[in-house]
Every structure is written in structure tokens, then in C-alpha cells.
Amino acid sequence: MSKPEKRKKLRKDGQLVIRIATEERDAFVEACDMLDTSAAREVRRFIRGFLKEHANDTSDT
């Protein structure tokens, strides 16, 4: 029997720089810590959900 193939992970080699209020950032990071997750993971999750939600949208303008 052969070894099961490992799933290839997508490289996380892009960056997105945003500016938000320090208070919002701190509250977000604290909430993520309390939920045992990372801010980066939650932002990626949001982006994936947003893209999935708008996958069929067309921009003909």
C-alpha cells in the first residue's frame, strides 16, 4: 500500500496592509486570543467567505 498523498498547502506569500484605529485592532486581536485563533486566520477566513459569496457577481462596468 502506498503512502497517502499529502495535501499541498497554498503558499501564503501575499500581504494586505490596512489601516484601522488602534482601539479596533487591539479589540479584534484580544477577541481572537479569547477565541483561541489568530487575527490573520480570521481575516483570511473573512476574505475567503467574501470571495465565495460574491463569486457569481459580474462587473460589467
Side-chain angles (χ1 to χ4, degrees):
M1 202 179 257
S2 65
K3 287 185 179 181
E5 289 185 32
K6 290 184 179 180
R7 283 183 70 188
K8 260 191 176 175
K9 289 188 177 183
L10 293 177
R11 288 190 58 193
K12 296 175 186 135
D13 57 357
Q15 290 187 340
L16 176 66
V17 178
I18 62 168
R19 292 199 179 275
I20 61 171
T22 301
E23 297 81 21
E24 288 179 327
R25 181 220 178 260
D26 292 346
F28 180 66
V29 170
E30 184 177 336
C32 289
D33 286 344
M34 290 173 58
L35 295 169
D36 195 28
T37 188
S38 70
R41 180 181 298 141
E42 295 308 315
V43 171
R44 286 191 300 268
R45 188 168 68 97
F46 167 78
I47 291 171
R48 289 182 190 120
F50 183 89
L51 292 173
K52 189 175 189 178
E53 181 180 336
H54 297 284
N56 295 327
D57 292 353
T58 59
S59 59
D60 294 332
T61 56

